[in-house]
Amino acid sequence: VLYLLVEDCEAAFEQARAAFLGRVEWRDAIEQHDSYAIIRGIFEGTGHHDLADEVLVEIEHLDEEIGDRLPAGSHDHDGDGVPDH
């Protein structure tokens, strides 16, 4: 919301970084997976490409861990042009 609606990139980055650094308790791995896609977008959009790359590694790990438990859809969280689930 901070990033898209308020356009407060600095605050959005700080919140995304806090979430990625483990200051959020995720309900389950699926919620974490989906949230990481948003976090990665914020990192990319605010020019923190190194952190976006770190998030991508975690997304790919979660993809492997969760597997078929991910809900159906055509999300491309890692940006490779192929739906992740």
Side-chain angles (χ1 to χ4, degrees), residues 33-34 68-77 82-85:
H33 178 275
D34 291 345
D68 292 336
R69 294 184 300 140
L70 284 168
S74 60
H75 297 92
D76 180 19
H77 298 297
V82 178
D84 292 322
H85 50 92

Side-chain angles (χ1 to χ4, degrees), residues 23-42:
R23 297 186 186 127
V24 171
E25 187 172 319
W26 305 107
R27 180 179 51 219
D28 55 32
I30 294 171
E31 179 183 50
Q32 183 178 13
H33 178 275
D34 291 345
S35 297
Y36 274 13
I38 296 166
I39 290 168
R40 182 172 181 253
I42 292 170

Side-chain angles (χ1 to χ4, degrees), residues 6-71:
V6 182
E7 297 181 11
D8 187 342
C9 294
E10 185 176 333
F13 169 73
E14 290 301 325
Q15 290 297 311
R17 186 173 66 169
F20 184 59
L21 295 177
R23 297 186 186 127
V24 171
E25 187 172 319
W26 305 107
R27 180 179 51 219
D28 55 32
I30 294 171
E31 179 183 50
Q32 183 178 13
H33 178 275
D34 291 345
S35 297
Y36 274 13
I38 296 166
I39 290 168
R40 182 172 181 253
I42 292 170
F43 287 166
E44 284 287 346
T46 57
H48 294 89
H49 304 290
D50 54 333
L51 287 171
D53 291 343
E54 289 181 38
V55 175
L56 178 57
V57 170
E58 293 302 317
I59 289 171
E60 291 172 347
H61 173 74
L62 288 166
D63 278 341
E64 293 174 11
E65 179 183 317
I66 298 167
D68 292 336
R69 294 184 300 140
L70 284 168

